[in-house]
Structure formats: structure tokens, C-alpha cells
Amino acid sequence: MSKDIMELLPFYVNGTLGGKEKDKVEQAIIDDPSLKDDLRYLEGLRREVKAYEIENSPGELGLKRLQKSLEEEKLKSDPIARARSRITSEQNRTWRMIAVAACVLLMIQTIIVAPHWMQGGTLVAAGGQSEAEISVTFAPDATESDIRGLLLGLNLNIVEGPSALGVYHLSTDDDIQQAVQALKSRDDLVESAQVEK
Amino acid sequence: MSEKESVELLKQVAKGDEKAFAEFFRLYENRLYRFILSKLNDSFEASDILNETFLEVWRKAGTFEGRSKVSTWLFGIAYYKTMDRMRKKKPMLIDEDNFPEIVDETPDAVSCLISEDDAGHVRHCLETLKEAHRSVMQLAFFEDMAYGEIAKIVDCPENTVKTRMFHAKQAMKHCLQGRMEERS
């Protein structure tokens, strides 16, 4: 059997030979029946190559990767998109720095303030330091400006009220007893004033 | 999908149609990955080259002139990329076509050897083939390509493809014969 025929045989098996070459191989098979063994061997080989399982191809993950590469490629080739991306990335960097600074400030604030929050193992509300408050009622004819002037003058703050009965709760950073006395001394405006725990 | 539809898809890709590109990827990805993997035997690298190949398709879709089949053009790009990677990894000092003639003295019994029970032996022998032989065998027997198409893909004369296929077939016979003797 000629080498030429032997070299054509695999392509006869895969069905890609045409015209004269196909006729030539077919005639050779008729002339030399031993070629049929080779033919069977090649058919078996082709069948096994086709059946050879490989691991899964990247599939959709591969497509996602490709699309990402494509975006990067577009950025490289488009100066406007690149500039926009650079600006966005700079903005992102600025915001990131601001966020980091805010976190640091929050941490410092927490370190400084937290010990003051915890007093005797109980958490004190944001209402403030003064455990004691003054409850006060004002004369019915006391005007808002009278009350405001009085409270400002005595450095008192309204923390709650007025209630349905007209009771205000006040706090002060100064001496609470002195504040109560001062309130009581203004009986033209104040009906009652007392310390409440 | 017919060749005409593949060509049409490629034209759309050339116009920058990303949907067409995704469709094109889905159409050829599996076959191309299989081909690349058969040469490299490394799934990570094969995925890399698959990605590079399709990026090249995106860049060069407009240059496809229809002188060859779309698959021939595509496999040619993949072949070039794979060879390039292999050369960088390990320079090829041996001319793979320059090996001694193997006289076909294998008994005819081998022709009966390839049954489904021997699939494992066939796979083992396929993996031991030289890279150039394996490529040609893969393209001829998995892709069912004509030697002319294969020659375009691997960028060599048609006669070289036929010779490589002949040697691949002989090498497989010898390998299978050896495995058969070990078994008996």
C-alpha cells in the first residue's frame, strides 16, 4: 500500500476527502483488502477521540471574564472613557479618605466620651449629668417672656414639660437648692418649685 | 449553526455588537477550549488563552475576509496563541516534524483493539502523543476538519499535516500495542 493512500486514509474516515482523492482511496481499498483493517482502526480511534470527555469549559464564567476584559480594553482605547474612569476613581479615593477620617474621628470620640457615659455601671441617658431636677409650676398670668427671662437669669433649662397640669422639669449645672430658692423668691411668677430625684 | 450564519455573526461582532459577540462565544467556546486544553493540559492556562483568543476575535473580526471557514480562522488564532504561550514557557528546541519514519509493522490485531473497553488505553495514548501530532489528530478526528483547513490553522504545508496525522496514527498503534502486551 502506498504512503500516499495511508496518509489520505484518516481524512477519508472523517469524511473530508472529495473528488479524485476519495475515488483513489476507495479504489485502493478494493485493490488491497488489508486496508480495511486500517480503516477499522482509524474509525475506532476517531470514535474514541470524539468520546474523550474533558473537564467543563469555562462557559458563562468565561463569558463574564471576557466581557470584563472587553471593558478594560475599551477603557484603554477610549481617552474620554479613560478620563471619566480616572475621575471616578479619584472621586472614589477622596470619598474613601473622608470615610476613613470619619471613622477615626468616631473612634476617638468613642474613646473619649464612652467612659463618661458609664456611671456606676448604668448607662445615663443623653439628658445629661444632673440626676436631680426641679419641678416647677408658673403663675397662670406669667407670660412666656417672663418665664424665659427668669430661666435664663437663673441658668435653668427646660428638660421636660409643660405637662397637662402645667408642670415643667428644669435642670441646672449650678447648685440646685439655690436655684429652687431663687425660683421660690419669684412668687409673682412661680407657684411652686421643688427638687425631684 | 451554518457557516453563513457564523459569518453573519462575525460581521455583527465587527460592528461592535456585544450581543452577537456573546452568541459567537457560546457557539465556539467549548470546542475551542477542548482544542487548547488538548495542547496545554492545564485548565487555567487554557482558560487564559480562550479569553485571549476571543479578545483577538473582537479586535480583528473586521479583518475576516471569508477566504476560509470561520472555524478555521478561529482555531488558527487559538493555535497561534497557544503555541506562543508554550514557546514562552519552554522553548521548543526539537523540530517536531523531524523524526524517524516509523515502519508500520504493528499486527493487524491492533485494529480490533479499539473497543469501548479500551477507551482508557486510547486516552492514555492520546496524552502521550507529541503536541504537533495531538493537535492534528484533535482537529481531524474531533473537529472533522479537512487537511487543507488544518494546514491553515497550524500554518504549515498540507503534506506536513498528512504526514503528522500518519505519524500520530502510528504512534497510537505502538502505544496501544504496548498497553496490550502489559495487560496480557
PDB file of all heavy atoms in Angstrom, chain A residues 6 14 21 41 46-50 52 55 57 59-60 65 69 73-74, chain B residues 18 26 29 34 43 48 51 59 114 119 127 140 142 144-145 147 169 173:
ATOM      1  N   MET A   6      -2.063   5.812   2.594  1.00  0.00           N
ATOM      2  CA  MET A   6      -2.081   5.720   4.064  1.00  0.00           C
ATOM      3  C   MET A   6      -2.283   7.099   4.702  1.00  0.00           C
ATOM      4  O   MET A   6      -2.921   7.225   5.753  1.00  0.00           O
ATOM      5  CB  MET A   6      -0.774   5.102   4.592  1.00  0.00           C
ATOM      6  CG  MET A   6      -0.599   3.642   4.218  1.00  0.00           C
ATOM      7  SD  MET A   6      -1.980   2.614   4.801  1.00  0.00           S
ATOM      8  CE  MET A   6      -1.632   2.550   6.530  1.00  0.00           C
ATOM      9  N   ASN A  14     -12.748  10.686   8.203  1.00  0.00           N
ATOM     10  CA  ASN A  14     -13.513  11.814   8.758  1.00  0.00           C
ATOM     11  C   ASN A  14     -14.435  12.475   7.712  1.00  0.00           C
ATOM     12  O   ASN A  14     -15.105  13.469   7.998  1.00  0.00           O
ATOM     13  CB  ASN A  14     -12.611  12.846   9.465  1.00  0.00           C
ATOM     14  CG  ASN A  14     -11.858  13.778   8.522  1.00  0.00           C
ATOM     15  OD1 ASN A  14     -12.002  13.734   7.304  1.00  0.00           O
ATOM     16  ND2 ASN A  14     -11.024  14.636   9.106  1.00  0.00           N
ATOM     17  N   GLU A  21      -9.407  12.329  -4.885  1.00  0.00           N
ATOM     18  CA  GLU A  21      -8.734  11.706  -3.733  1.00  0.00           C
ATOM     19  C   GLU A  21      -9.618  10.627  -3.100  1.00  0.00           C
ATOM     20  O   GLU A  21      -9.142   9.547  -2.733  1.00  0.00           O
ATOM     21  CB  GLU A  21      -8.361  12.767  -2.702  1.00  0.00           C
ATOM     22  CG  GLU A  21      -7.140  13.571  -3.105  1.00  0.00           C
ATOM     23  CD  GLU A  21      -6.732  14.591  -2.058  1.00  0.00           C
ATOM     24  OE1 GLU A  21      -7.621  15.118  -1.364  1.00  0.00           O
ATOM     25  OE2 GLU A  21      -5.523  14.860  -1.945  1.00  0.00           O
ATOM     26  N   TYR A  41      -9.427   0.482  12.310  1.00  0.00           N
ATOM     27  CA  TYR A  41      -8.610   1.038  13.399  1.00  0.00           C
ATOM     28  C   TYR A  41      -8.821   2.560  13.495  1.00  0.00           C
ATOM     29  O   TYR A  41      -9.054   3.118  14.575  1.00  0.00           O
ATOM     30  CB  TYR A  41      -7.140   0.703  13.150  1.00  0.00           C
ATOM     31  CG  TYR A  41      -6.160   1.538  13.940  1.00  0.00           C
ATOM     32  CD1 TYR A  41      -6.059   1.406  15.321  1.00  0.00           C
ATOM     33  CD2 TYR A  41      -5.334   2.460  13.303  1.00  0.00           C
ATOM     34  CE1 TYR A  41      -5.159   2.169  16.047  1.00  0.00           C
ATOM     35  CE2 TYR A  41      -4.437   3.228  14.015  1.00  0.00           C
ATOM     36  CZ  TYR A  41      -4.345   3.083  15.382  1.00  0.00           C
ATOM     37  OH  TYR A  41      -3.465   3.846  16.094  1.00  0.00           O
ATOM     38  N   ARG A  46     -11.126   7.465  15.868  1.00  0.00           N
ATOM     39  CA  ARG A  46     -11.947   8.678  15.729  1.00  0.00           C
ATOM     40  C   ARG A  46     -13.093   8.654  16.740  1.00  0.00           C
ATOM     41  O   ARG A  46     -13.401   9.664  17.382  1.00  0.00           O
ATOM     42  CB  ARG A  46     -12.484   8.761  14.299  1.00  0.00           C
ATOM     43  CG  ARG A  46     -13.390   9.954  14.062  1.00  0.00           C
ATOM     44  CD  ARG A  46     -13.644  10.150  12.577  1.00  0.00           C
ATOM     45  NE  ARG A  46     -14.710  11.088  12.327  1.00  0.00           N
ATOM     46  CZ  ARG A  46     -15.972  10.748  12.087  1.00  0.00           C
ATOM     47  NH1 ARG A  46     -16.324   9.464  12.072  1.00  0.00           N
ATOM     48  NH2 ARG A  46     -16.875  11.666  11.858  1.00  0.00           N
ATOM     49  N   ARG A  47     -13.702   7.489  16.877  1.00  0.00           N
ATOM     50  CA  ARG A  47     -14.822   7.350  17.819  1.00  0.00           C
ATOM     51  C   ARG A  47     -14.358   7.677  19.244  1.00  0.00           C
ATOM     52  O   ARG A  47     -15.012   8.392  19.989  1.00  0.00           O
ATOM     53  CB  ARG A  47     -15.346   5.909  17.748  1.00  0.00           C
ATOM     54  CG  ARG A  47     -16.661   5.677  18.471  1.00  0.00           C
ATOM     55  CD  ARG A  47     -17.121   4.231  18.371  1.00  0.00           C
ATOM     56  NE  ARG A  47     -16.145   3.298  18.911  1.00  0.00           N
ATOM     57  CZ  ARG A  47     -15.568   2.311  18.217  1.00  0.00           C
ATOM     58  NH1 ARG A  47     -15.880   2.115  16.967  1.00  0.00           N
ATOM     59  NH2 ARG A  47     -14.680   1.503  18.789  1.00  0.00           N
ATOM     60  N   GLU A  48     -13.164   7.190  19.592  1.00  0.00           N
ATOM     61  CA  GLU A  48     -12.659   7.419  20.952  1.00  0.00           C
ATOM     62  C   GLU A  48     -12.245   8.871  21.176  1.00  0.00           C
ATOM     63  O   GLU A  48     -12.428   9.420  22.253  1.00  0.00           O
ATOM     64  CB  GLU A  48     -11.474   6.488  21.252  1.00  0.00           C
ATOM     65  CG  GLU A  48     -11.888   5.071  21.520  1.00  0.00           C
ATOM     66  CD  GLU A  48     -12.968   4.944  22.592  1.00  0.00           C
ATOM     67  OE1 GLU A  48     -12.888   5.646  23.614  1.00  0.00           O
ATOM     68  OE2 GLU A  48     -13.912   4.155  22.400  1.00  0.00           O
ATOM     69  N   VAL A  49     -11.671   9.478  20.144  1.00  0.00           N
ATOM     70  CA  VAL A  49     -11.289  10.897  20.266  1.00  0.00           C
ATOM     71  C   VAL A  49     -12.543  11.729  20.497  1.00  0.00           C
ATOM     72  O   VAL A  49     -12.578  12.625  21.336  1.00  0.00           O
ATOM     73  CB  VAL A  49     -10.515  11.387  19.014  1.00  0.00           C
ATOM     74  CG1 VAL A  49     -10.346  12.903  19.031  1.00  0.00           C
ATOM     75  CG2 VAL A  49      -9.149  10.726  18.939  1.00  0.00           C
ATOM     76  N   LYS A  50     -13.585  11.402  19.776  1.00  0.00           N
ATOM     77  CA  LYS A  50     -14.851  12.151  19.932  1.00  0.00           C
ATOM     78  C   LYS A  50     -15.465  11.919  21.308  1.00  0.00           C
ATOM     79  O   LYS A  50     -16.093  12.814  21.882  1.00  0.00           O
ATOM     80  CB  LYS A  50     -15.849  11.740  18.850  1.00  0.00           C
ATOM     81  CG  LYS A  50     -15.573  12.418  17.526  1.00  0.00           C
ATOM     82  CD  LYS A  50     -16.777  12.304  16.608  1.00  0.00           C
ATOM     83  CE  LYS A  50     -16.494  12.917  15.250  1.00  0.00           C
ATOM     84  NZ  LYS A  50     -16.321  14.365  15.305  1.00  0.00           N
ATOM     85  N   TYR A  52     -13.858  11.314  24.000  1.00  0.00           N
ATOM     86  CA  TYR A  52     -12.930  11.705  25.069  1.00  0.00           C
ATOM     87  C   TYR A  52     -13.511  12.893  25.841  1.00  0.00           C
ATOM     88  O   TYR A  52     -13.582  14.004  25.354  1.00  0.00           O
ATOM     89  CB  TYR A  52     -11.589  12.071  24.435  1.00  0.00           C
ATOM     90  CG  TYR A  52     -10.447  12.272  25.407  1.00  0.00           C
ATOM     91  CD1 TYR A  52     -10.596  12.052  26.763  1.00  0.00           C
ATOM     92  CD2 TYR A  52      -9.195  12.674  24.952  1.00  0.00           C
ATOM     93  CE1 TYR A  52      -9.542  12.215  27.635  1.00  0.00           C
ATOM     94  CE2 TYR A  52      -8.130  12.848  25.813  1.00  0.00           C
ATOM     95  CZ  TYR A  52      -8.312  12.616  27.158  1.00  0.00           C
ATOM     96  OH  TYR A  52      -7.271  12.796  28.018  1.00  0.00           O
ATOM     97  N   GLU A  55     -12.774  18.100  31.013  1.00  0.00           N
ATOM     98  CA  GLU A  55     -13.453  18.857  32.064  1.00  0.00           C
ATOM     99  C   GLU A  55     -14.275  19.975  31.419  1.00  0.00           C
ATOM    100  O   GLU A  55     -14.025  20.347  30.278  1.00  0.00           O
ATOM    101  CB  GLU A  55     -12.436  19.443  33.024  1.00  0.00           C
ATOM    102  CG  GLU A  55     -11.461  20.354  32.324  1.00  0.00           C
ATOM    103  CD  GLU A  55     -10.344  20.802  33.237  1.00  0.00           C
ATOM    104  OE1 GLU A  55     -10.533  21.793  33.923  1.00  0.00           O
ATOM    105  OE2 GLU A  55      -9.289  20.136  33.229  1.00  0.00           O
ATOM    106  N   SER A  57     -15.784  23.303  30.095  1.00  0.00           N
ATOM    107  CA  SER A  57     -15.172  24.561  29.637  1.00  0.00           C
ATOM    108  C   SER A  57     -15.665  25.696  30.548  1.00  0.00           C
ATOM    109  O   SER A  57     -16.635  25.512  31.276  1.00  0.00           O
ATOM    110  CB  SER A  57     -15.581  24.817  28.193  1.00  0.00           C
ATOM    111  OG  SER A  57     -16.975  24.913  28.117  1.00  0.00           O
ATOM    112  N   GLY A  59     -17.463  28.197  30.079  1.00  0.00           N
ATOM    113  CA  GLY A  59     -18.879  28.533  29.874  1.00  0.00           C
ATOM    114  C   GLY A  59     -19.211  29.984  30.197  1.00  0.00           C
ATOM    115  O   GLY A  59     -18.479  30.899  29.792  1.00  0.00           O
ATOM    116  N   GLU A  60     -20.300  30.180  30.956  1.00  0.00           N
ATOM    117  CA  GLU A  60     -20.779  31.541  31.238  1.00  0.00           C
ATOM    118  C   GLU A  60     -19.761  32.340  32.061  1.00  0.00           C
ATOM    119  O   GLU A  60     -19.653  33.556  31.935  1.00  0.00           O
ATOM    120  CB  GLU A  60     -22.127  31.507  31.961  1.00  0.00           C
ATOM    121  CG  GLU A  60     -23.277  31.091  31.062  1.00  0.00           C
ATOM    122  CD  GLU A  60     -23.453  31.986  29.829  1.00  0.00           C
ATOM    123  OE1 GLU A  60     -23.609  33.204  29.995  1.00  0.00           O
ATOM    124  OE2 GLU A  60     -23.428  31.456  28.703  1.00  0.00           O
ATOM    125  N   ARG A  65     -15.805  36.795  32.204  1.00  0.00           N
ATOM    126  CA  ARG A  65     -14.400  37.215  32.222  1.00  0.00           C
ATOM    127  C   ARG A  65     -14.054  37.973  30.946  1.00  0.00           C
ATOM    128  O   ARG A  65     -13.392  39.004  30.980  1.00  0.00           O
ATOM    129  CB  ARG A  65     -13.515  35.971  32.368  1.00  0.00           C
ATOM    130  CG  ARG A  65     -12.057  36.285  32.396  1.00  0.00           C
ATOM    131  CD  ARG A  65     -11.218  35.040  32.422  1.00  0.00           C
ATOM    132  NE  ARG A  65      -9.815  35.390  32.328  1.00  0.00           N
ATOM    133  CZ  ARG A  65      -8.845  34.504  32.264  1.00  0.00           C
ATOM    134  NH1 ARG A  65      -9.109  33.230  32.317  1.00  0.00           N
ATOM    135  NH2 ARG A  65      -7.594  34.895  32.165  1.00  0.00           N
ATOM    136  N   SER A  69     -12.780  41.799  30.411  1.00  0.00           N
ATOM    137  CA  SER A  69     -11.568  42.138  29.645  1.00  0.00           C
ATOM    138  C   SER A  69     -11.898  43.147  28.554  1.00  0.00           C
ATOM    139  O   SER A  69     -11.112  44.052  28.259  1.00  0.00           O
ATOM    140  CB  SER A  69     -10.972  40.894  28.983  1.00  0.00           C
ATOM    141  OG  SER A  69     -10.729  39.913  29.928  1.00  0.00           O
ATOM    142  N   GLU A  73     -10.417  46.816  27.880  1.00  0.00           N
ATOM    143  CA  GLU A  73      -9.854  47.143  26.573  1.00  0.00           C
ATOM    144  C   GLU A  73     -10.458  48.441  26.027  1.00  0.00           C
ATOM    145  O   GLU A  73      -9.752  49.278  25.479  1.00  0.00           O
ATOM    146  CB  GLU A  73     -10.148  45.989  25.617  1.00  0.00           C
ATOM    147  CG  GLU A  73      -9.589  46.240  24.247  1.00  0.00           C
ATOM    148  CD  GLU A  73      -8.874  45.032  23.700  1.00  0.00           C
ATOM    149  OE1 GLU A  73      -8.261  44.310  24.488  1.00  0.00           O
ATOM    150  OE2 GLU A  73      -8.934  44.848  22.487  1.00  0.00           O
ATOM    151  N   LYS A  74     -11.763  48.589  26.229  1.00  0.00           N
ATOM    152  CA  LYS A  74     -12.434  49.806  25.755  1.00  0.00           C
ATOM    153  C   LYS A  74     -11.880  51.020  26.486  1.00  0.00           C
ATOM    154  O   LYS A  74     -11.668  52.074  25.897  1.00  0.00           O
ATOM    155  CB  LYS A  74     -13.939  49.693  26.012  1.00  0.00           C
ATOM    156  CG  LYS A  74     -14.686  48.917  24.972  1.00  0.00           C
ATOM    157  CD  LYS A  74     -16.162  49.038  25.276  1.00  0.00           C
ATOM    158  CE  LYS A  74     -16.947  47.932  24.659  1.00  0.00           C
ATOM    159  NZ  LYS A  74     -18.260  47.791  25.280  1.00  0.00           N
TER     160      LYS A  74
ATOM    161  N   GLU B  18     -22.120  43.614  20.957  1.00  0.00           N
ATOM    162  CA  GLU B  18     -21.671  42.751  22.057  1.00  0.00           C
ATOM    163  C   GLU B  18     -22.579  41.533  22.242  1.00  0.00           C
ATOM    164  O   GLU B  18     -22.128  40.490  22.715  1.00  0.00           O
ATOM    165  CB  GLU B  18     -21.582  43.556  23.357  1.00  0.00           C
ATOM    166  CG  GLU B  18     -20.434  44.540  23.304  1.00  0.00           C
ATOM    167  CD  GLU B  18     -20.168  45.236  24.619  1.00  0.00           C
ATOM    168  OE1 GLU B  18     -20.488  44.687  25.680  1.00  0.00           O
ATOM    169  OE2 GLU B  18     -19.652  46.365  24.562  1.00  0.00           O
ATOM    170  N   ARG B  26     -20.513  31.687  22.844  1.00  0.00           N
ATOM    171  CA  ARG B  26     -21.231  30.478  23.267  1.00  0.00           C
ATOM    172  C   ARG B  26     -21.174  29.385  22.187  1.00  0.00           C
ATOM    173  O   ARG B  26     -21.152  28.205  22.482  1.00  0.00           O
ATOM    174  CB  ARG B  26     -22.683  30.817  23.591  1.00  0.00           C
ATOM    175  CG  ARG B  26     -22.817  31.629  24.856  1.00  0.00           C
ATOM    176  CD  ARG B  26     -24.264  31.767  25.290  1.00  0.00           C
ATOM    177  NE  ARG B  26     -24.358  32.627  26.455  1.00  0.00           N
ATOM    178  CZ  ARG B  26     -24.808  33.877  26.429  1.00  0.00           C
ATOM    179  NH1 ARG B  26     -25.225  34.403  25.308  1.00  0.00           N
ATOM    180  NH2 ARG B  26     -24.849  34.602  27.541  1.00  0.00           N
ATOM    181  N   GLU B  29     -17.014  28.356  22.126  1.00  0.00           N
ATOM    182  CA  GLU B  29     -16.198  28.290  23.339  1.00  0.00           C
ATOM    183  C   GLU B  29     -15.790  26.872  23.730  1.00  0.00           C
ATOM    184  O   GLU B  29     -14.618  26.591  23.973  1.00  0.00           O
ATOM    185  CB  GLU B  29     -16.981  28.988  24.458  1.00  0.00           C
ATOM    186  CG  GLU B  29     -16.417  28.902  25.828  1.00  0.00           C
ATOM    187  CD  GLU B  29     -17.084  27.843  26.692  1.00  0.00           C
ATOM    188  OE1 GLU B  29     -18.168  27.334  26.331  1.00  0.00           O
ATOM    189  OE2 GLU B  29     -16.502  27.508  27.702  1.00  0.00           O
ATOM    190  N   ARG B  34     -11.577  22.884  24.303  1.00  0.00           N
ATOM    191  CA  ARG B  34     -11.150  21.499  24.183  1.00  0.00           C
ATOM    192  C   ARG B  34      -9.845  21.406  23.377  1.00  0.00           C
ATOM    193  O   ARG B  34      -8.915  20.686  23.748  1.00  0.00           O
ATOM    194  CB  ARG B  34     -12.261  20.709  23.483  1.00  0.00           C
ATOM    195  CG  ARG B  34     -12.018  19.253  23.412  1.00  0.00           C
ATOM    196  CD  ARG B  34     -13.088  18.576  22.584  1.00  0.00           C
ATOM    197  NE  ARG B  34     -12.805  17.163  22.555  1.00  0.00           N
ATOM    198  CZ  ARG B  34     -13.427  16.261  23.280  1.00  0.00           C
ATOM    199  NH1 ARG B  34     -14.392  16.608  24.080  1.00  0.00           N
ATOM    200  NH2 ARG B  34     -13.086  14.995  23.242  1.00  0.00           N
ATOM    201  N   SER B  43      -5.805  23.542  32.739  1.00  0.00           N
ATOM    202  CA  SER B  43      -7.112  24.208  32.568  1.00  0.00           C
ATOM    203  C   SER B  43      -7.036  25.721  32.797  1.00  0.00           C
ATOM    204  O   SER B  43      -7.751  26.480  32.141  1.00  0.00           O
ATOM    205  CB  SER B  43      -8.146  23.581  33.500  1.00  0.00           C
ATOM    206  OG  SER B  43      -7.710  23.655  34.820  1.00  0.00           O
ATOM    207  N   ASP B  48      -7.155  31.023  30.072  1.00  0.00           N
ATOM    208  CA  ASP B  48      -6.490  32.291  29.716  1.00  0.00           C
ATOM    209  C   ASP B  48      -6.442  32.462  28.201  1.00  0.00           C
ATOM    210  O   ASP B  48      -6.768  33.521  27.665  1.00  0.00           O
ATOM    211  CB  ASP B  48      -5.032  32.268  30.204  1.00  0.00           C
ATOM    212  CG  ASP B  48      -4.908  32.780  31.615  1.00  0.00           C
ATOM    213  OD1 ASP B  48      -5.933  33.201  32.170  1.00  0.00           O
ATOM    214  OD2 ASP B  48      -3.784  32.739  32.157  1.00  0.00           O
ATOM    215  N   ASN B  51      -9.709  33.162  26.584  1.00  0.00           N
ATOM    216  CA  ASN B  51     -10.063  34.576  26.756  1.00  0.00           C
ATOM    217  C   ASN B  51      -9.297  35.450  25.752  1.00  0.00           C
ATOM    218  O   ASN B  51      -9.873  36.301  25.080  1.00  0.00           O
ATOM    219  CB  ASN B  51      -9.729  34.985  28.199  1.00  0.00           C
ATOM    220  CG  ASN B  51     -10.349  36.304  28.593  1.00  0.00           C
ATOM    221  OD1 ASN B  51     -11.552  36.476  28.497  1.00  0.00           O
ATOM    222  ND2 ASN B  51      -9.532  37.254  28.993  1.00  0.00           N
ATOM    223  N   ARG B  59     -11.176  42.175  18.337  1.00  0.00           N
ATOM    224  CA  ARG B  59     -10.337  43.207  17.696  1.00  0.00           C
ATOM    225  C   ARG B  59     -10.294  43.017  16.177  1.00  0.00           C
ATOM    226  O   ARG B  59     -10.253  43.978  15.432  1.00  0.00           O
ATOM    227  CB  ARG B  59      -8.897  43.106  18.227  1.00  0.00           C
ATOM    228  CG  ARG B  59      -8.748  43.530  19.664  1.00  0.00           C
ATOM    229  CD  ARG B  59      -7.269  43.423  20.077  1.00  0.00           C
ATOM    230  NE  ARG B  59      -7.139  43.276  21.513  1.00  0.00           N
ATOM    231  CZ  ARG B  59      -6.532  42.262  22.114  1.00  0.00           C
ATOM    232  NH1 ARG B  59      -5.966  41.306  21.418  1.00  0.00           N
ATOM    233  NH2 ARG B  59      -6.476  42.215  23.433  1.00  0.00           N
ATOM    234  N   ILE B 114      -9.428  -1.415  19.447  1.00  0.00           N
ATOM    235  CA  ILE B 114     -10.186  -0.248  19.880  1.00  0.00           C
ATOM    236  C   ILE B 114     -11.662  -0.571  20.052  1.00  0.00           C
ATOM    237  O   ILE B 114     -12.464  -0.394  19.164  1.00  0.00           O
ATOM    238  CB  ILE B 114      -9.951   0.945  18.941  1.00  0.00           C
ATOM    239  CG1 ILE B 114      -8.448   1.219  18.882  1.00  0.00           C
ATOM    240  CG2 ILE B 114     -10.689   2.184  19.447  1.00  0.00           C
ATOM    241  CD1 ILE B 114      -8.056   2.306  17.944  1.00  0.00           C
ATOM    242  N   ALA B 119     -11.139   2.184  25.959  1.00  0.00           N
ATOM    243  CA  ALA B 119     -11.182   3.644  25.891  1.00  0.00           C
ATOM    244  C   ALA B 119     -10.089   4.268  26.772  1.00  0.00           C
ATOM    245  O   ALA B 119      -9.435   5.228  26.372  1.00  0.00           O
ATOM    246  CB  ALA B 119     -12.551   4.147  26.321  1.00  0.00           C
ATOM    247  N   GLU B 127      -2.707  11.120  25.221  1.00  0.00           N
ATOM    248  CA  GLU B 127      -1.974  12.097  26.039  1.00  0.00           C
ATOM    249  C   GLU B 127      -0.466  11.987  25.871  1.00  0.00           C
ATOM    250  O   GLU B 127       0.255  12.926  26.189  1.00  0.00           O
ATOM    251  CB  GLU B 127      -2.378  11.943  27.509  1.00  0.00           C
ATOM    252  CG  GLU B 127      -3.734  12.586  27.773  1.00  0.00           C
ATOM    253  CD  GLU B 127      -4.347  12.208  29.113  1.00  0.00           C
ATOM    254  OE1 GLU B 127      -3.627  11.657  29.965  1.00  0.00           O
ATOM    255  OE2 GLU B 127      -5.554  12.456  29.275  1.00  0.00           O
ATOM    256  N   ALA B 140      -8.531  16.663  13.178  1.00  0.00           N
ATOM    257  CA  ALA B 140      -9.033  15.738  12.152  1.00  0.00           C
ATOM    258  C   ALA B 140     -10.154  14.852  12.685  1.00  0.00           C
ATOM    259  O   ALA B 140     -11.136  14.626  11.981  1.00  0.00           O
ATOM    260  CB  ALA B 140      -7.885  14.874  11.636  1.00  0.00           C
ATOM    261  N   PHE B 142     -11.742  15.077  16.014  1.00  0.00           N
ATOM    262  CA  PHE B 142     -12.815  15.657  16.845  1.00  0.00           C
ATOM    263  C   PHE B 142     -13.564  16.722  16.062  1.00  0.00           C
ATOM    264  O   PHE B 142     -14.781  16.766  16.043  1.00  0.00           O
ATOM    265  CB  PHE B 142     -12.269  16.244  18.155  1.00  0.00           C
ATOM    266  CG  PHE B 142     -13.388  16.662  19.083  1.00  0.00           C
ATOM    267  CD1 PHE B 142     -14.078  15.728  19.829  1.00  0.00           C
ATOM    268  CD2 PHE B 142     -13.789  17.989  19.162  1.00  0.00           C
ATOM    269  CE1 PHE B 142     -15.150  16.096  20.637  1.00  0.00           C
ATOM    270  CE2 PHE B 142     -14.855  18.371  19.968  1.00  0.00           C
ATOM    271  CZ  PHE B 142     -15.533  17.415  20.718  1.00  0.00           C
ATOM    272  N   ASP B 144     -13.330  17.048  12.789  1.00  0.00           N
ATOM    273  CA  ASP B 144     -13.577  16.533  11.437  1.00  0.00           C
ATOM    274  C   ASP B 144     -13.207  17.556  10.362  1.00  0.00           C
ATOM    275  O   ASP B 144     -13.982  17.849   9.438  1.00  0.00           O
ATOM    276  CB  ASP B 144     -15.045  16.112  11.277  1.00  0.00           C
ATOM    277  CG  ASP B 144     -15.315  14.768  11.931  1.00  0.00           C
ATOM    278  OD1 ASP B 144     -14.350  13.998  12.130  1.00  0.00           O
ATOM    279  OD2 ASP B 144     -16.479  14.482  12.259  1.00  0.00           O
ATOM    280  N   MET B 145     -12.017  18.082  10.486  1.00  0.00           N
ATOM    281  CA  MET B 145     -11.558  19.084   9.518  1.00  0.00           C
ATOM    282  C   MET B 145     -10.760  18.423   8.391  1.00  0.00           C
ATOM    283  O   MET B 145     -10.082  17.408   8.618  1.00  0.00           O
ATOM    284  CB  MET B 145     -10.684  20.133  10.197  1.00  0.00           C
ATOM    285  CG  MET B 145     -11.473  21.103  11.058  1.00  0.00           C
ATOM    286  SD  MET B 145     -10.381  22.328  11.778  1.00  0.00           S
ATOM    287  CE  MET B 145     -11.564  23.370  12.601  1.00  0.00           C
ATOM    288  N   TYR B 147      -7.651  18.209   5.662  1.00  0.00           N
ATOM    289  CA  TYR B 147      -6.226  18.520   5.903  1.00  0.00           C
ATOM    290  C   TYR B 147      -5.875  19.942   5.455  1.00  0.00           C
ATOM    291  O   TYR B 147      -4.986  20.576   6.003  1.00  0.00           O
ATOM    292  CB  TYR B 147      -5.291  17.463   5.285  1.00  0.00           C
ATOM    293  CG  TYR B 147      -5.407  17.265   3.796  1.00  0.00           C
ATOM    294  CD1 TYR B 147      -4.832  18.153   2.911  1.00  0.00           C
ATOM    295  CD2 TYR B 147      -6.061  16.151   3.274  1.00  0.00           C
ATOM    296  CE1 TYR B 147      -4.924  17.965   1.533  1.00  0.00           C
ATOM    297  CE2 TYR B 147      -6.158  15.949   1.896  1.00  0.00           C
ATOM    298  CZ  TYR B 147      -5.595  16.867   1.034  1.00  0.00           C
ATOM    299  OH  TYR B 147      -5.684  16.681  -0.324  1.00  0.00           O
ATOM    300  N   LYS B 169      -1.063   8.418  13.966  1.00  0.00           N
ATOM    301  CA  LYS B 169      -1.759   7.132  13.894  1.00  0.00           C
ATOM    302  C   LYS B 169      -0.800   5.991  14.254  1.00  0.00           C
ATOM    303  O   LYS B 169      -1.146   5.099  15.045  1.00  0.00           O
ATOM    304  CB  LYS B 169      -2.284   6.942  12.461  1.00  0.00           C
ATOM    305  CG  LYS B 169      -3.089   5.695  12.253  1.00  0.00           C
ATOM    306  CD  LYS B 169      -3.256   5.377  10.772  1.00  0.00           C
ATOM    307  CE  LYS B 169      -2.047   4.634  10.239  1.00  0.00           C
ATOM    308  NZ  LYS B 169      -2.211   4.129   8.877  1.00  0.00           N
ATOM    309  N   LYS B 173      -0.763   3.404  17.491  1.00  0.00           N
ATOM    310  CA  LYS B 173      -0.739   1.943  17.338  1.00  0.00           C
ATOM    311  C   LYS B 173       0.318   1.320  18.245  1.00  0.00           C
ATOM    312  O   LYS B 173       0.063   0.344  18.943  1.00  0.00           O
ATOM    313  CB  LYS B 173      -0.425   1.587  15.875  1.00  0.00           C
ATOM    314  CG  LYS B 173      -1.633   1.245  15.050  1.00  0.00           C
ATOM    315  CD  LYS B 173      -1.185   0.640  13.725  1.00  0.00           C
ATOM    316  CE  LYS B 173      -2.375   0.448  12.793  1.00  0.00           C
ATOM    317  NZ  LYS B 173      -1.976  -0.155  11.522  1.00  0.00           N
TER     318      LYS B 173
END
